[in-house]
């Protein structure tokens, strides 16, 4: 009976003397990579355990804010032991949703160090006690590279530039055919850009020479999240067309052209070369 009382007394003594573990800092913040939808950030969650016995960090969650906008979250997926009277570094992985950042692209591209706020809490078990460790800290990230990768990926989807046929004249002789077409430019980004240059070449057969070419005369300003059609005039060489003509074209009275080209897009001081490939059917 005395032994039970002694054990119980010791247990109650430890409980009464238990201290709340302390949040120390967020350290070693690094950008680990870029997934299809998120920026992956790694960091150390540093906690000090002031007790003479080890405790357990049962769970920890945090939210990441840019200004007042929630942009990401991080979680501790498994329990971690906190050694007695020691400071422990706990690796945590967070994901910042790129979609939640896109309205901030202009200012994020202009900064080499962007401040994000972290808010959250951790649940710690010590014997029968449970403590909550509050988290309220700031981290700095250079998001420029990740955003540039996301912009490049968006511009290279293949649908940013589409050829729209407006009108053409019939083949009157073995001289020229004049086409009036439109290049539809679709900007899916929340940031405006300038199309510095654009060059297009028209092919009946990609393995043979082009039958026409077009170059944009001056830069074009494209609004954010907008679609615009740029009118273009193209002169085709009928002689080159006839050299590559197929019998089916005469039967159907139409020819299928492949358009290949490239547009150079400038966003702030950054330039992107975007390949263009499309097809258009033109009546003969």
């Amino acid at each position: 009976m005395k032994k039970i009382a002694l054990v119980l007394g010791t247990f109650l003594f430890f409980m009464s003397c238990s201290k709340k573990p302390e949040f120390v800092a967020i350290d070693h913040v690094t950008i680990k990579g870029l997934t299809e939808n998120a920026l992956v950030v790694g960091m150390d969650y540093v906690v000090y355990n002031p007790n003479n016995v080890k405790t357990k960090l049962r769970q920890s969650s945090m939210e990441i804010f840019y200004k007042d906008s929630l942009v990401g979250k991080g979680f501790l997926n498994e329990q971690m032991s906190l050694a007695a009277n020691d400071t422990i570094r706990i690796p945590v992985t967070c994901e910042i949703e790129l979609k939640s950042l896109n309205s901030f692209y202009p200012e994020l591209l202009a900064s080499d160090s962007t401040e994000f706020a972290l808010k959250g809490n951790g649940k710690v078990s010590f014997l029968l006690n449970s403590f909550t460790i509050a988290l309220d800290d700031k981290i700095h990230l250079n998001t420029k590279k990740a955003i540039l990768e996301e912009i490049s990926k968006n511009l290279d989807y293949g649908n940013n530039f589409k050829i729209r046929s407006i009108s053409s004249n019939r083949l009157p002789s073995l001289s020229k055919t004049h086409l009036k077409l439109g290049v539809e430019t679709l900007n899916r980004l929340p940031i405006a850009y300038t199309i510095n240059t654009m060059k297009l070449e028209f092919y009946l057969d990609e393995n043979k020479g082009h039958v026409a070419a077009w170059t944009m005369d001056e830069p074009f300003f494209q609004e954010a999240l907008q679609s615009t059609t740029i009118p273009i005039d193209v002169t085709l060489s009928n002689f080159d067309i006839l050299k590559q003509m197929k019998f089916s074209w005469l039967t159907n009275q139409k020819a299928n052209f492949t358009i290949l080209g490239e547009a150079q897009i400038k966003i702030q001081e950054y330039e992107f070369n975007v390949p263009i490939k499309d097809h258009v059917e033109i009546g003969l």
Side-chain angles (χ1 to χ4, degrees), residues 158-271:
N159 294 318
N160 299 87
F161 298 93
K162 301 294 290 184
I163 306 300
R164 306 300 183 194
S165 179
I166 300 175
S167 65
S168 64
N169 66 328
R170 304 283 180 175
L171 288 175
S173 63
L174 297 179
S175 54
K176 303 289 182 181
T177 296
H178 300 287
L179 300 180
K180 291 183 177 296
L181 303 105
V183 181
E184 183 183 48
T185 67
L186 176 58
N187 183 5
R188 296 182 179 85
L189 297 168
I191 183 171
Y193 56 67
T194 300
I195 305 173
N196 278 344
T197 61
M198 186 190 304
K199 296 180 180 180
L200 302 175
E201 292 182 340
F202 291 70
Y203 293 83
L204 290 168
D205 186 338
E206 292 182 41
N207 296 319
K208 298 180 181 179
H210 63 267
V211 295
W214 175 85
T215 301
M216 190 167 67
D217 293 330
E218 57 185 26
F220 180 83
F221 183 77
Q222 176 65 55
E223 296 283 357
L225 301 172
Q226 296 292 321
S227 174
T228 307
T229 298
I230 302 174
I232 64 174
D233 291 319
V234 179
T235 300
L236 301 175
S237 167
N238 291 347
F239 179 73
D240 290 335
I241 292 175
L242 290 172
K243 286 195 301 182
Q244 302 180 31
M245 181 170 286
K246 298 178 182 179
F247 180 75
S248 60
W249 299 351
L250 297 177
T251 304
N252 299 326
Q253 293 189 334
K254 58 186 179 182
N256 294 315
F257 287 82
T258 297
I259 296 92
L260 302 177
E262 184 178 78
Q264 185 192 77
I265 289 176
K266 187 171 184 179
I267 299 177
Q268 294 182 8
E269 71 268 31
Y270 303 100
E271 294 181 347

Side-chain angles (χ1 to χ4, degrees), residues 263-282:
Q264 185 192 77
I265 289 176
K266 187 171 184 179
I267 299 177
Q268 294 182 8
E269 71 268 31
Y270 303 100
E271 294 181 347
F272 303 85
N273 292 321
V274 183
I276 300 172
K277 183 174 183 178
D278 203 357
H279 303 275
V280 65
E281 186 179 89
I282 298 175

Side-chain angles (χ1 to χ4, degrees), residues 46-98:
V46 186
V47 181
Y48 173 66
N49 177 18
N51 298 291
N52 293 323
V53 295
K54 69 179 182 180
T55 64
K56 279 192 175 181
L57 179 62
R58 293 189 288 110
Q59 66 182 56
S60 178
S61 62
M62 63 181 67
E63 294 180 328
I64 305 176
F65 293 84
Y66 178 65
K67 296 185 174 178
D68 294 324
S69 298
L70 176 64
V71 297
K73 294 182 178 181
F75 298 95
L76 180 69
N77 295 322
E78 56 185 48
Q79 295 185 7
M80 297 288 294
S81 293
L82 307 181
N85 298 312
D86 199 5
T87 299
I88 302 93
R89 292 180 175 273
I90 302 167
V92 177
T93 299
C94 302
E95 290 192 353
I96 297 177
E97 295 294 327
L98 291 169

